[in-house]
Amino acid sequence: MSIDNSNLNNKEIILLTNIANNSYCYRDIDNTFTIFQSKDEILHLIYTTKKKSIISYNLNEFRIITEIKSAHEGNCITNFRHFFYQHHKVDLVLSISAKNNNIKIWNCKNWSCLLNIKDIYPKGIINSACFIHYDNNLYILSSNNNWVKPDFIKIFNFEEKSIGTIKNSNENAYYIDTYFEECNSHIYVITGNYNSVRSYDYNKNELYHEYCDDKTGFHSSLKILKWKTITKLIESASNGFIRIWNFHSGILINTIYACNLCLYGICIWDDLNIFVGCGDNTIKLINIKEGKVTKTINGSNYW
């Protein structure tokens, strides 16, 4: 998620309104909501309710745009991702139902369902999924949760067909995302797994790096930050630590202790500050240069 913070001070953030007080939350799965600005300049909040509907909310006008009831045949929805498909000039939203073991793709303009990829992992459930744009085509990546025998990251086309996997990716990946580097025209897939973080060279279909400092829990969220000449990989973990890695060398740059509870989603505010969600329903503002928490926001009282 990116935020236009040109006129805001991160220490002045206050509650606007309690929009999603009926939202569904499942802590072990990433991205239970997403925020983006669509091509018609509407700022959208997409989330799911306890009644298992998808809500599209207009943050400019503080009103619900639409509600899709029983969007995944009545089962819980645990993941949203957004992608603006430049070629077709359309905003797409991906949603997951782990229990149904399927992924759906929605046209954000009219909320028609464009894809319904079913029975993705017959053994286990989907943990995470994301879009990947490669060779002017759009694909879907999915990761698996199966403690006995994890399956590989699967690649799907827009005909709902599995067209391949990523080699050596058979890990319990809680989080999956992609990173495109313009300087070398390479696409990387990054995963937060149970014991480590991994990156894969998508062009070569091979493991790029494994980032591992402490095999004591799962790694729940990952963000890439370009800082001067360094590409940083920032990750949150279940043992309460933020770790910052040199993405290309795999060297650990810094470890920051946030709290004694599990950390979840990361939001990059600027080159020096990030937000991270914590297991006690608070949000921590962390200065990554100073390596410390500078503000704690109560999730029930602040937005």
Side-chain angles (χ1 to χ4, degrees), residues 254-288:
N254 196 12
T255 300
I256 303 170
Y257 177 75
C259 67
N260 62 351
L261 297 168
C262 185
L263 302 181
Y264 297 99
I266 296 171
C267 174
I268 294 177
W269 181 262
D270 55 29
D271 289 347
L272 299 178
N273 297 279
I274 65 169
F275 290 99
V276 63
C278 302
D280 60 355
N281 294 325
T282 66
I283 299 170
K284 306 289 185 185
L285 175 62
I286 297 173
N287 185 300
I288 57 176

Side-chain angles (χ1 to χ4, degrees), residues 140-208:
I140 309 300
L141 300 179
S142 67
S143 70
N144 176 234
N145 182 0
N146 183 339
W147 286 106
V148 178
K149 188 179 181 181
D151 207 336
F152 295 93
I153 292 171
K154 292 186 176 182
I155 307 166
F156 295 90
N157 62 17
F158 263 57
E159 295 176 357
E160 303 178 14
K161 295 180 180 178
S162 176
I163 61 169
T165 60
I166 295 181
K167 294 179 181 177
N168 302 315
S169 64
N170 53 330
E171 295 243 322
N172 281 296
Y174 291 87
Y175 184 93
I176 184 172
D177 207 350
T178 61
Y179 164 58
F180 174 69
E181 191 160 68
E182 294 184 6
C183 64
N184 61 11
S185 297
H186 253 58
I187 297 178
Y188 299 94
V189 177
I190 50 177
T191 61
N193 309 308
Y194 181 71
N195 285 324
S196 67
V197 170
R198 286 186 169 191
S199 60
Y200 300 87
D201 186 321
Y202 187 80
N203 303 58
K204 297 179 180 180
N205 195 1
E206 64 183 24
L207 180 68
Y208 185 60

Side-chain angles (χ1 to χ4, degrees), residues 70-115:
S70 297
H72 278 264
E73 290 73 46
N75 276 307
C76 296
I77 302 164
T78 53
N79 183 299
F80 290 108
R81 297 291 180 92
H82 165 259
F83 184 85
F84 177 63
Y85 200 179
Q86 181 68 37
H87 182 70
H88 294 286
K89 306 294 184 185
V90 60
D91 288 282
L92 302 176
V93 169
L94 174 155
S95 63
I96 284 176
S97 172
K99 290 184 178 180
N100 270 12
N101 211 357
N102 76 315
I103 294 172
K104 288 189 176 183
I105 308 296
W106 308 85
N107 181 337
C108 189
K109 186 68 176 179
N110 57 17
W111 284 96
S112 59
C113 182
L114 303 179
L115 287 178

Side-chain angles (χ1 to χ4, degrees), residues 8-152:
L8 296 174
N9 183 324
N10 56 41
K11 295 182 180 180
E12 297 175 352
I13 295 173
I14 59 173
L15 173 69
L16 295 177
T17 183
N18 191 2
I19 295 170
N21 58 351
N22 66 334
S23 64
Y24 172 75
C25 178
Y26 184 65
R27 291 181 175 178
D28 289 341
I29 302 292
D30 80 301
N31 286 47
T32 51
F33 71 92
T34 190
I35 296 174
F36 62 91
Q37 183 167 297
S38 58
K39 68 181 182 67
D40 52 6
E41 298 186 349
I42 295 175
L43 188 60
H44 293 262
L45 165 64
I46 310 297
Y47 68 96
T48 180
T49 68
K50 295 173 183 177
K51 294 183 178 180
K52 303 161 187 175
S53 298
I54 291 178
I55 300 290
S56 174
Y57 191 92
N58 186 324
L59 284 170
N60 302 91
E61 302 175 0
F62 295 102
R63 64 178 180 86
I64 292 176
I65 300 172
T66 189
E67 178 180 0
I68 307 171
K69 296 182 179 180
S70 297
H72 278 264
E73 290 73 46
N75 276 307
C76 296
I77 302 164
T78 53
N79 183 299
F80 290 108
R81 297 291 180 92
H82 165 259
F83 184 85
F84 177 63
Y85 200 179
Q86 181 68 37
H87 182 70
H88 294 286
K89 306 294 184 185
V90 60
D91 288 282
L92 302 176
V93 169
L94 174 155
S95 63
I96 284 176
S97 172
K99 290 184 178 180
N100 270 12
N101 211 357
N102 76 315
I103 294 172
K104 288 189 176 183
I105 308 296
W106 308 85
N107 181 337
C108 189
K109 186 68 176 179
N110 57 17
W111 284 96
S112 59
C113 182
L114 303 179
L115 287 178
N116 183 10
I117 309 172
K118 301 179 180 179
D119 301 322
I120 293 176
Y121 293 109
K123 296 180 180 179
I125 64 172
I126 310 167
N127 253 352
S128 185
C130 66
F131 295 96
I132 185 166
H133 191 242
Y134 183 71
D135 282 346
N136 295 318
N137 291 305
L138 191 60
Y139 303 97
I140 309 300
L141 300 179
S142 67
S143 70
N144 176 234
N145 182 0
N146 183 339
W147 286 106
V148 178
K149 188 179 181 181
D151 207 336
F152 295 93

